[in-house]
């Protein structure tokens, strides 16, 4: 049946007949909305993609763009999408495996060395330094475990991660990885800050006291406990139920087709409006506990309500990191910027402390006539201090600047998050044991010296072989002189033969 309308004495076909015999205007066909009610007005349209679970329609241009437009996330999980794992690129997984393995290996050595130094050293300064280095080794080892685990999860889950993304982001495993990463990064940062400040005060006082008594031992233990507790508290607060209204990003309902994906408060408001016919905008300000109660009231009590999981603070990305990248309207903006400011202050203290130590060593080297061994030790200290400042600068300053630019809306730093999570920020976890451990530093220098010596010997050998194989060449003048000498020799020889024949 064809439905037409009359316009100025002529009949125009301006209506589309749905499969259920409903008529809609033609301009509502293929408009990404089910106007017929049976989806027939959107069948065969090439300008959209139908989400298989949530039954939404999204533009074709939204497929595989890195943003989940379907509530079920299916627009990013098709076979045409190349990056469907935790990491967007396989190189991140390989880098995470390598850096995680290196961090675990190096820091086990650093841990054992720090334990031996604590037992062998009797001075308070030596024991405090060894204790702080021990904390750094534990923190960096934990960071290595995090890197290795997240790479293993990406390798084993593979393409299934895309379909189970919301399940992973709301899981306890992701929360534990986020806590481990946060504790490790801040434990290392706070221990390095305390170590640098303490070394600065030790150089200023130039007094060494005994560290074998009960009071020095309590001071060392208290310092270590405070650093550990502070790192743990900063990591655990965001996932506590008491503060869920400030940190939870949404709710995930595993067994519901009505609530798909990570459901925010705004999405809850839309569903409540459709279910009750109306809903107050104050729903957006309700605590999550009351929202759960409203959701459960929509279902039969015999079913026991609808089970939900919190998309927690660390579930902001697949790598389960602390949510440093926030916008002004995010509920976590105050906490994230507060922690980011603390991290920046720690870096400034580390930099200033080691700059003072560097300057002090340079001044003492110029003032006093030092022996050869003392001069070597000063140069070694200056080199180590320079590397510490450079690595801390490379790890933290670019990341802090990036976070502030993201907060101000200048750039969208989300695509760079995996790069900083597995390459830039964990760099200290690999470098620290080399800087603070004498055994690893000595072995590393010896290995590098062997490599460079081998390369130089091979280069010299190849040059010698090339010189032997190189043909001897003469200039034109040399060839001319040689030809002239040959001709003269032949002429003299000829004359001698003639003279001999005449005499005979």
């Amino acid at each position: 049946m064809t439905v037409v309308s009359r316009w100025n004495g002529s009949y125009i076909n301006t209506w589309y007949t749905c499969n259920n015999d409903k008529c809609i205007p033609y301009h509502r066909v293929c408009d990404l909305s089910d106007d017929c009610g049976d989806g027939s007005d959107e069948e065969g349209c090439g300008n959209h993609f139908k989400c298989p679970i949530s039954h939404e329609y999204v533009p074709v241009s939204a497929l595989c763009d890195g943003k989940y437009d379907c509530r079920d996330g299916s627009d990013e999980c098709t076979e045409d999408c190349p990056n469907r794992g935790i990491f967007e690129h396989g190189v991140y997984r390989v880098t995470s495996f390598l850096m995680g393995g290196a961090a675990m290996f190096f820091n086990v050595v650093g841990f054992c060395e720090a334990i031996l130094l604590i037992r062998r050293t009797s001075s308070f300064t030596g024991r405090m330094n060894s204790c702080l280095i021990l904390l750094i080794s534990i923190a960096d080892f934990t960071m290595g475990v995090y890197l290795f685990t997240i790479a293993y999860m990406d390798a084993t889950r593979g393409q299934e991660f895309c379909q189970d993304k919301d399940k992973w982001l709301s899981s306890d495993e992701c929360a534990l990885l986020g806590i481990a990463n946060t504790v490790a990064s801040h434990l290392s940062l706070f221990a390095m800050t305390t170590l640098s400040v303490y070394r600065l005060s030790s150089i200023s006082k130039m007094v060494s006291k005994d560290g074998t008594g009960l009071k020095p031992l309590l001071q060392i233990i208290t310092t270590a406990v405070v650093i550990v507790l502070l790192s743990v508290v900063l990591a655990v607060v965001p996932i506590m139920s008491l503060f869920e209204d400030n940190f939870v990003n949404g709710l995930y309902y595993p067994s519901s087709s009505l609530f798909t994906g990570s459901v925010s408060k705004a999405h809850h408001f839309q569903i409540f409006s459709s279910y009750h016919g109306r809903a107050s905008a104050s729903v957006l300000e309700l605590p999550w506990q009351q929202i759960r109660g409203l959701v459960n009231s929509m279902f039969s009590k015999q079913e026991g309500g609808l089970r939900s999981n919190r998309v927690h603070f660390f579930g902001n990305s697949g790598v389960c990191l602390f949510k440093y990248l926030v916008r002004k309207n995010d509920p976590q903006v105050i906490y994230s910027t507060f922690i980011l400011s603390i991290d920046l202050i720690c870096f400034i203290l580390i930099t200033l402390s080691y700059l003072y130590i560097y300057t002090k060593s340079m001044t003492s080297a110029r003032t006093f006539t030092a022996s050869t061994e003392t001069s070597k030790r000063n140069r070694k200290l200056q080199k180590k201090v320079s590397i510490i400042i450079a690595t801390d600068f490379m790890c933290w300053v670019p990341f802090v600047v990036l976070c502030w630019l993201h907060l101000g809306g200048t750039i969208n730093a989300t695509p760079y998050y995996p790069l900083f999570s597995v390459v830039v920020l964990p760099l200290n976890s690999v470098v620290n044991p080399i800087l603070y451990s004498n055994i690893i530093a000595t072995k590393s220098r010896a290995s590098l010296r062997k490599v460079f010596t081998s390369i130089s010997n091979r280069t010299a050998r190849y040059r010698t072989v090339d010189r032997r194989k190189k043909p001897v060449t003469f200039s034109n003048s040399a060839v001319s002189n040689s030809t002239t000498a040959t001709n003269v020799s032949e002429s003299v020889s000829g004359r001698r033969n003639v003279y001999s024949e005449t005499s005979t």
Side-chain angles (χ1 to χ4, degrees):
M1 180 179 65
T2 302
V3 180
V4 296
S5 59
R6 186 173 182 178
W7 179 259
N8 292 334
S10 59
Y11 293 93
I12 304 174
N13 184 12
T14 59
W15 295 88
Y16 174 80
T17 305
C18 307
N19 292 343
N20 58 4
D21 295 332
K22 181 181 179 179
C23 296
I24 61 172
Y26 262 112
H27 69 269
R28 295 171 65 180
V29 177
C30 298
D31 63 346
L32 307 183
S33 176
D34 183 9
D35 300 291
C36 288
D38 59 359
S40 57
D41 58 313
E42 300 299 320
E43 291 180 358
C45 300
N47 65 332
H48 65 62
F49 170 80
K50 184 178 181 180
C51 309
I53 300 177
S54 57
H55 303 295
E56 302 166 278
Y57 295 95
V58 299
V60 175
S61 58
L63 290 176
C64 308
D65 62 348
K67 178 183 177 183
Y68 288 88
D69 299 282
C70 294
R71 289 198 302 270
D72 57 12
S74 55
D75 58 309
E76 299 299 319
C77 301
T78 65
E79 295 181 356
D80 297 329
C81 299
N83 305 317
R84 293 183 285 169
I86 294 178
F87 294 119
E88 294 184 359
H89 304 287
V91 66
Y92 290 150
R93 186 195 313 133
V94 175
T95 304
S96 185
F97 266 127
L98 294 177
M99 294 193 69
M104 287 189 290
F105 174 76
F106 287 145
N107 284 287
V108 165
V109 178
F111 176 86
C112 296
E113 182 181 358
I115 293 292
L116 292 175
L117 289 176
I118 291 175
R119 297 182 62 181
R120 293 176 181 176
T121 306
S122 59
S123 67
F124 178 79
T125 301
R127 288 196 166 186
M128 178 64 80
N129 286 339
S130 300
C131 179
L132 293 173
I133 292 175
L134 178 64
L135 290 181
I136 295 173
S137 299
I138 294 174
D140 293 338
F141 178 83
T142 306
M143 180 63 74
V145 172
Y146 161 80
L147 291 172
F148 200 85
T149 303
I150 202 71
Y152 173 78
M153 297 299 291
D154 181 60
T156 54
R157 287 177 177 264
Q159 307 301 334
E160 298 177 359
F161 167 77
C162 189
Q163 295 291 345
D164 298 333
K165 180 180 179 182
D166 295 299
K167 182 180 179 181
W168 166 251
L169 296 180
S170 60
S171 65
D172 294 336
E173 292 85 353
C174 182
L176 288 175
L177 284 175
I179 293 173
N181 178 279
T182 305
V183 170
S185 59
H186 286 92
L187 179 59
S188 177
L189 182 62
F190 293 157
M192 285 193 296
T193 305
T194 307
L195 179 62
S196 59
V197 173
Y198 183 76
R199 284 181 172 178
L200 174 65
S201 63
S202 299
I203 290 179
S204 302
K205 294 179 181 179
M206 297 297 292
V207 177
S208 178
K209 60 181 181 178
D210 181 60
T212 57
L214 179 61
K215 184 177 179 180
L217 181 62
L218 290 177
Q219 290 180 354
I220 295 173
I221 294 176
T222 302
T223 302
V225 170
V226 169
I227 293 175
V228 173
L229 286 179
L230 183 58
S231 303
V232 172
V233 168
L234 292 179
V236 172
V237 164
I239 65 167
M240 295 177 64
S241 301
L242 182 64
F243 306 108
E244 69 173 6
D245 293 319
N246 298 318
F247 295 104
V248 172
N249 300 308
L251 297 178
Y252 169 63
Y253 301 90
S255 58
S256 173
S257 59
L258 177 62
F259 298 94
T260 56
S262 175
V263 187
S264 62
K265 287 187 176 182
H267 188 198
H268 278 96
F269 172 73
Q270 295 175 0
I271 295 177
F272 293 155
S273 299
S274 300
Y275 181 79
H276 296 286
R278 61 182 180 85
S280 174
S282 60
V283 173
L284 299 175
E285 300 177 0
L286 288 178
W288 284 110
Q289 188 63 31
Q290 293 187 24
I291 291 178
R292 292 191 192 94
L294 291 174
V295 171
N296 289 332
S297 67
M298 297 170 58
F299 297 88
S300 173
K301 293 183 179 180
Q302 295 178 354
E303 299 295 332
L306 193 63
R307 186 173 63 88
S308 64
N309 299 332
R310 297 182 301 171
V311 182
H312 46 73
F313 179 72
F314 299 106
N316 61 92
S317 65
V319 291
C320 305
L321 279 181
F322 189 97
K323 192 176 181 181
Y324 286 109
L325 299 180
V326 292
R327 297 291 190 183
K328 294 180 179 179
N329 57 346
D330 286 340
Q332 305 93 346
V333 62
I334 297 177
Y335 189 77
S336 296
T337 52
F338 171 71
I339 299 300
L340 199 63
S341 301
I342 291 179
D343 296 342
L344 181 61
I345 292 172
C346 288
F347 167 74
I348 293 174
L349 287 176
I350 293 172
T351 304
L352 293 178
S353 299
Y354 280 115
L355 282 176
Y356 179 83
I357 295 172
Y358 183 88
T359 306
K360 195 76 174 178
S361 63
M362 292 287 290
T363 304
S364 62
R366 295 193 190 100
T367 305
F368 303 100
T369 305
S371 62
T372 305
E373 187 64 27
T374 305
S375 300
K376 288 182 178 180
R377 189 162 53 249
N378 286 335
R379 287 195 300 270
K380 182 180 178 181
L381 175 63
Q382 294 162 10
K383 186 184 297 184
K384 180 179 291 188
V385 167
S386 301
I387 296 175
I388 290 173
I389 296 175
T391 53
D392 288 337
F393 182 89
M394 290 171 57
C395 291
W396 285 102
V397 171
F399 182 68
V400 171
V401 171
L402 193 71
C403 291
W404 285 111
L405 292 176
H406 182 86
L407 175 63
T410 305
I411 62 172
N412 180 21
T414 305
Y416 306 105
Y417 213 32
L419 174 65
F420 279 92
S421 66
V422 300
V423 179
V424 180
L425 293 181
L427 181 63
N428 272 339
S429 300
V430 179
V431 177
N432 283 340
I434 300 176
L435 296 176
Y436 294 108
S437 172
N438 294 326
I439 295 177
I440 298 177
T442 303
K443 295 293 184 180
S444 300
R445 284 195 299 268
S447 300
L448 289 175
R449 194 178 296 112
K450 288 182 180 180
V451 171
F452 289 136
T453 302
S454 176
I455 293 174
S456 61
N457 291 338
R458 290 184 179 181
T459 304
R461 192 180 304 116
Y462 289 148
R463 287 178 179 176
T464 303
V465 172
D466 289 342
R467 287 175 182 174
R468 292 175 179 176
K469 293 182 177 180
K470 189 174 182 180
V472 179
T473 57
F474 299 94
S475 61
N476 293 333
S477 59
V479 173
S480 176
N481 293 337
S482 177
T483 304
T484 305
T486 303
N487 293 337
V488 170
S489 177
E490 291 177 352
S491 176
V492 171
S493 177
R495 289 180 181 179
R496 286 177 179 173
N497 291 337
V498 171
Y499 178 74
S500 177
E501 291 175 357
T502 306
S503 301
T504 301

